[in-house]
Amino acid sequence: MENIVITVARQYGSGGKTIGEMFAKEMGIPCYGSNLLEMASEESGIAEHLFRQLDEKLQNSPILRMTTDVYTGDVIPPSSSDFVSAKNLFNYQAKIMKRLAETESCVIIGRAADFVLKDYPNVVSVFVHASEEFNLARAMERNSMTESEMQKFIAKTDKYRADYYRHYTGREWTDARNYDLCLNSGKLGFEKCVEEIKAYIKVRFE
C-alpha cells in the first residue's frame, strides 16, 4: 500500500499528540492537527479565525452534548445560509482529511478523523489512554495549575472531546470498537507506543 494514515484520538495528558508526532518524525511523514483549520480555511475561503472561534465556542456550548449532527460527507455550497455553520466548518476539515488519506502518508491528531476516514482501507485508527494518575502527573509537568485545577481542566477537556466526537459521529469516544489500536501510554511509555503502531502496520500491510 502506497500511503498509510494514522489517526490518533487521545485522553488529555496521555501523550497521544506527542506519540503521533514521534511516529511521524520517525517515519518522515507530516503530522496534522490544528493546522487542518488553516488548510480548511484555504480550501473553503472561510476565514481561519472562524474555524478557531468555533473550537472555542463549542467548548462552552451545550449544543455538542445535547445534539448529534453526524457527518455524512457533503460540504454546503457558498450560496447557502449554512455555509459558515459549525456543520460545514467540520465538513471542510473532513474534506481535507480525505484528500490527505488519498494522497499521502501522514498522522492526523483528533478531529474525529477515525470516523471521517473509517471507510479507507489505508487508515489505522489509534486511541491513546492512561490512568487518571498518569494523565494528571504528566499534565502537571506542563501546566502551572494546582492539582485540583488540573483535575477539573482534564475532566473538562476530555468531556469536550467526547461530546465533540459523539456530536459528529453518533459514537462514543472511548469505545474501543471504534479503533484499530488502544494503547495505554502509562504502561507502555511513548517510545513503545510508537513501536506498537509500527508493529501493527507491519502485520496488517506487509
Side-chain angles (χ1 to χ4, degrees):
M1 191 161 290
E2 291 185 1
N3 58 300
I4 296 173
V5 175
I6 310 299
T7 69
V8 181
R10 76 285 186 215
Q11 291 181 321
Y12 189 88
S14 67
K17 180 181 178 182
T18 300
I19 290 165
E21 290 172 342
M22 288 171 62
F23 177 87
K25 183 176 181 180
E26 190 167 326
M27 302 303 292
I29 60 177
C31 183
Y32 299 99
S34 61
N35 51 346
L36 283 171
L37 302 183
E38 178 183 353
M39 298 166 72
S41 172
E42 292 176 356
E43 173 74 20
S44 64
I46 299 170
E48 185 181 342
H49 76 268
L50 292 178
F51 284 91
R52 298 194 181 279
Q53 282 179 359
L54 175 66
D55 271 6
E56 294 171 7
K57 288 179 180 177
L58 290 179
Q59 290 190 45
N60 300 303
S61 170
I63 294 174
L64 285 183
R65 63 177 177 270
M66 294 174 63
T67 65
T68 57
D69 194 358
V70 177
Y71 169 72
T72 57
D74 299 318
V75 296
I76 300 170
S79 57
S80 170
S81 59
D82 289 331
F83 182 60
V84 294
S85 63
K87 178 184 181 72
N88 208 34
L89 295 183
F90 182 85
N91 289 347
Y92 270 103
Q93 293 175 62
K95 183 177 181 180
I96 297 298
M97 287 187 260
K98 287 183 172 182
R99 181 183 301 161
L100 293 172
E102 292 164 3
T103 58
E104 64 179 62
S105 293
C106 63
V107 174
I108 302 176
I109 308 294
R111 307 283 156 187
D114 61 281
F115 181 81
V116 172
L117 303 177
K118 60 184 171 56
D119 297 324
Y120 285 69
N122 61 325
V123 172
V124 175
S125 55
V126 179
F127 184 80
V128 180
H129 63 98
S131 68
E132 290 183 11
E133 295 77 14
F134 178 88
N135 292 345
L136 177 61
R138 184 172 177 276
M140 289 291 289
E141 294 174 357
R142 300 162 56 235
N143 297 275
S144 56
M145 296 185 190
T146 66
E147 185 170 307
S148 176
E149 289 171 338
M150 195 72 251
Q151 286 175 325
K152 291 178 181 177
F153 181 80
I154 291 173
K156 180 180 179 181
T157 302
D158 282 350
K159 185 178 186 308
Y160 167 65
R161 290 175 178 174
D163 289 345
Y164 180 97
Y165 189 86
R166 187 185 306 111
H167 180 76
Y168 288 114
T169 72
R171 299 180 177 186
E172 293 304 311
W173 181 56
T174 55
D175 188 338
R177 292 172 294 184
N178 297 330
Y179 308 99
D180 297 311
L181 280 176
C182 292
L183 301 174
N184 188 325
S185 58
K187 292 183 177 180
L188 287 174
F190 295 176
E191 291 184 359
K192 288 185 178 179
C193 283
V194 171
E195 292 304 312
E196 285 292 328
I197 297 171
K198 289 166 60 180
Y200 178 88
I201 290 172
K202 184 176 179 61
V203 170
R204 178 170 160 186
F205 296 112
E206 295 184 6

